[in-house]
Amino acid sequence: MYLTFDDGPSHNTARILNILKQYDVPATFFVNGYDTDFAHQMYQRIVDEGHQLGNHTYSHDYQKIYQSPEAFMKDVIKLQDFLENSTGFRPQVFRFPAGSNNQIYRRVQRENPYIMIEIKQALKEKELPYFDWNASSTDAAAVTLDADIILENTLKYASGRHNAIILFHDSAAKTTTVQALPQIIQTLKSRGYHFDILSPDSFYVHFNYLLY
Ligand SMILES: [Zn+2]
């Protein structure tokens, strides 16, 4: 099981880290760039406590990053440099805002239909592999989804898989994700699952990409 938390740091990050520590479970955090003392503390805790600090673009601003492959990579490298300066650790894993098969670029610009293909090539050249997911906690389905529903859906989508990359969100509104997390971990542990971080040579999921 690969627990992944997107979009942090947020006011929930410390609580998530405390739960992971309590259950001795590692996770992967696909973070954005926040230049505050609090955020720098959270980046450092993620690294120091044995989790994987991953890149999720500096700005997460669709209008900006999906303009061109150059704009996208500039934002990615900005976060690489920022996190390395902050923690001493340069991220080795990446997740696309909205996933690798998103069609958001079509709303942003229409000149380059190959932008996603070109971005994937550029990520490869930077040796920054990307990771989608094959199990969703569904915590993005509402601003704050009921904790019982997050628990039920996470177990439904993750169970039975040999390897599951589970998508969660680390943002201020996702308080019920934090509430559901202990029971998710306990239940998966009781079913014999082992937890690990994503890394360049770990299990990965890539969505199919349709160009149309
Ligand atoms: Zn995101």
Side-chain angles (χ1 to χ4, degrees):
M1 292 285 135
Y2 301 90
L3 306 177
T4 67
F5 296 91
D6 287 12
D7 303 346
S10 79
H11 290 299
N12 288 313
T13 311
R15 295 171 65 204
I16 294 169
L17 286 166
N18 292 345
I19 292 167
L20 295 173
K21 188 183 274 182
Q22 186 188 341
Y23 291 97
D24 194 23
V25 162
T28 302
F29 290 80
F30 288 105
V31 301
N32 302 118
Y34 292 100
D35 196 5
T36 64
D37 288 347
F38 172 78
H40 286 287
Q41 283 171 30
M42 293 300 107
Y43 298 135
Q44 195 65 54
R45 270 194 69 183
I46 290 168
V47 170
D48 290 350
E49 294 177 19
H51 305 295
Q52 186 67 283
L53 182 66
N55 187 317
H56 192 46
T57 73
Y58 190 96
S59 70
H60 207 287
D61 179 347
Y62 297 144
Q63 285 297 325
K64 194 169 163 181
I65 60 181
Y66 290 121
Q67 285 289 343
S68 68
E70 293 74 24
F72 191 96
M73 289 310 294
K74 194 178 166 195
D75 207 72
V76 170
I77 299 306
K78 183 179 178 183
L79 184 60
Q80 289 291 89
D81 294 342
F82 177 79
L83 293 174
E84 189 174 11
N85 282 332
S86 178
T87 67
F89 178 81
R90 194 167 182 86
Q92 299 175 334
V93 294
F94 177 79
R95 173 170 282 160
F96 281 87
S100 74
N101 64 344
N102 79 75
Q103 301 281 313
I104 291 165
Y105 71 89
R106 299 169 84 219
R107 280 187 261 137
V108 176
Q109 56 83 31
R110 301 202 70 95
E111 302 88 68
N112 184 0
Y114 303 106
I115 180 170
M116 298 301 281
I117 292 164
E118 291 173 17
I119 291 168
K120 286 174 193 171
Q121 187 57 39
L123 288 169
K124 206 172 196 174
E125 282 162 17
K126 294 286 179 194
E127 294 180 16
L128 201 53
Y130 69 91
F131 296 78
D132 291 309
W133 55 91
N134 59 2
S136 176
S137 69
T138 68
D139 67 355
V143 175
T144 308
L145 197 65
D146 197 88
D148 290 342
I149 298 174
I150 294 173
L151 171 67
E152 188 184 320
N153 285 343
T154 303
L155 296 175
K156 181 170 73 184
Y157 295 127
S159 285
R161 289 189 184 277
H162 203 72
N163 294 283
I165 299 179
I166 308 175
L167 173 68
F168 296 96
H169 290 87
D170 171 10
S171 57
K174 305 301 179 191
T175 51
T176 49
T177 299
V178 183
Q179 284 168 29
L181 193 56
Q183 216 177 329
I184 288 169
I185 294 170
Q186 283 173 36
T187 309
L188 291 172
K189 276 192 166 182
S190 74
R191 293 178 185 174
Y193 285 107
H194 168 77
F195 293 81
D196 208 346
I197 57 172
L198 294 174
S199 63
D201 52 6
S202 72
F203 172 78
Y204 69 89
V205 171
H206 285 175
F207 292 146
N208 286 322
Y209 180 68
L210 298 171
L211 188 68
Y212 55 91

